[in-house]
Amino acid sequence: MASQQTSAPTVRTTTPTLDEITATVRQFIVRISGRPGIQDDRPLISDGVLDSVAAVQMVDFVERTFSIEVVDEDLELVNFDSVQGLATLVDRKLGTS
């Protein structure tokens, strides 16, 4: 997989809803995977859709886009193996649930 630059995050003034978070994460995953139509619950890493480099890109993307900090305790496969898992992590970190 070729390394891709990510665009600058959008600065938000309101807390996004889970649906907005999911849509943003999905757009990013589609962009880095090159695979449109990825289902929100599809395993991304364990199915080989994304590799470890992409996982690092996902961490960087959500930290910058949503102004959150992903700590060591968050680095579990369940949080990064699907659009749904990553969106849920962001939602939890933002405290919107």
Side-chain angles (χ1 to χ4, degrees), residues 43-64:
L44 301 172
I45 297 169
S46 61
D47 272 3
V49 175
L50 299 176
D51 60 17
S52 59
V53 173
V56 172
Q57 291 174 323
M58 287 190 289
V59 171
D60 181 61
F61 174 77
V62 298
E63 285 184 330
R64 291 184 308 114

Side-chain angles (χ1 to χ4, degrees), residues 7-22:
S7 60
T10 303
V11 177
R12 296 189 61 96
T13 56
T14 60
T15 303
T17 66
L18 180 56
D19 287 343
E20 291 170 329
I21 295 167
T22 301

Side-chain angles (χ1 to χ4, degrees), residues 35-95:
R35 297 183 185 192
I38 289 179
Q39 298 297 313
D40 291 349
D41 60 349
R42 171 147 188 213
L44 301 172
I45 297 169
S46 61
D47 272 3
V49 175
L50 299 176
D51 60 17
S52 59
V53 173
V56 172
Q57 291 174 323
M58 287 190 289
V59 171
D60 181 61
F61 174 77
V62 298
E63 285 184 330
R64 291 184 308 114
T65 302
F66 298 103
S67 300
I68 62 171
E69 181 180 2
V70 176
V71 296
D72 289 345
E73 292 79 25
D74 299 323
L75 298 176
E76 297 181 13
L77 186 59
V78 68
N79 291 330
F80 294 91
D81 201 28
S82 67
V83 170
Q84 183 178 21
L86 191 53
T88 300
L89 171 67
V90 171
D91 187 55
R92 185 170 61 249
K93 298 293 255 178
L94 291 173

Side-chain angles (χ1 to χ4, degrees), residues 23-34:
T24 301
V25 167
R26 187 183 311 111
Q27 288 173 340
F28 176 74
I29 298 300
V30 166
R31 188 171 69 238
I32 67 171
S33 72

